[in-house]
Amino acid sequence: LNGTLRDAWLRDAVVLTPHPHAHAIYADKRNLIVLSDGEWLRSIGVGEEDLAVLAAGVPRAELVTPARAEEFWASRRRWFFKPAAGYGGKAAYRGDKLTKRVFGEISRGGYIAQALVPPSERQIRVDGVERSLKFDVRNFAYRQRVQMVSARLYQGQTTNFRTHGGGFAPVLAVPASP
């Protein structure tokens, strides 16, 4: 927070959303760096079962710094670059789609590089035509309970709501077979 806004927030003269503390804990993408660092997690006592869950679900993430710019540029095709404080895919870039100019901005800092994991795809019928759409699954939680699970269907580099036939889709729980 800048000085004026921070002072107003500390005096309860302004309401901020998201709450700065909640953002720092849940939304700052630099948290992905520690959540993907098995060695560090082990050093603070995280158990092997939890480490396995994190390793399976959180792709490796590293901090982008000017000192590492050449290294990240050379290996950019393996990374997805995200602003640490970003949201909704704003200013997020697949490394293989980067221009040198945009990478120059990224390499100044304020970004993480996360290992690129290709999205899953599903075939759907839109206006009688089969098409393949990428998807991601979102869990909406409140007070340690999942309230809803939904998927976002999209086409292109990042999720969006402009894709014909895309948008939110239901996720149905199916009991496991015996």
Side-chain angles (χ1 to χ4, degrees):
L1 294 176
N2 71 32
T4 305
L5 188 56
R6 182 180 187 280
D7 292 342
W9 178 67
L10 291 172
R11 290 191 323 273
D12 283 329
V14 66
V15 174
L16 298 177
T17 184
H19 187 281
H21 183 70
H23 182 275
I25 292 173
Y26 301 114
D28 190 313
K29 294 195 182 39
R30 287 173 290 215
N31 293 329
L32 296 169
I33 296 169
V34 295
L35 289 173
S36 68
D37 185 344
E39 205 172 294
W40 182 81
L41 292 167
R42 197 172 275 111
S43 78
I44 63 166
V46 174
E48 291 302 317
E49 190 174 316
D50 291 329
L51 284 169
V53 169
L54 288 168
V58 181
R60 179 82 186 151
E62 299 180 21
L63 188 64
V64 176
T65 62
R68 297 186 64 199
E70 286 184 36
E71 173 189 347
F72 280 118
W73 178 254
S75 64
R76 68 189 176 279
R77 287 175 177 78
R78 295 187 355 237
W79 301 104
F80 199 97
F81 295 90
K82 302 176 179 184
Y87 64 95
K90 306 241 185 300
Y93 302 94
R94 273 182 50 160
D96 61 347
K97 307 287 185 190
L98 275 177
T99 64
K100 195 88 160 147
R101 183 194 64 77
V102 171
F103 184 75
E105 295 170 18
I106 290 169
S107 66
R108 285 196 274 273
Y111 272 77
I112 69 156
Q114 190 172 36
L116 180 63
V117 177
S120 298
E121 294 188 14
R122 289 294 181 259
Q123 291 297 119
I124 67 167
R125 186 177 298 273
V126 179
D127 296 332
V129 177
E130 287 282 325
R131 59 188 302 189
S132 182
L133 292 179
K134 299 172 190 170
F135 77 93
D136 65 21
V137 176
R138 299 292 169 124
N139 285 279
F140 295 87
Y142 179 71
R143 293 194 174 178
Q144 300 176 347
R145 291 190 52 138
V146 173
Q147 304 293 308
M148 176 179 71
V149 180
S150 74
R152 294 188 304 179
L153 298 168
Y154 66 99
Q155 190 174 41
Q157 181 173 313
T158 57
T159 56
N160 64 67
F161 290 102
R162 295 183 302 274
T163 299
H164 188 63
F168 281 117
V171 174
L172 306 174
V174 177
S177 299

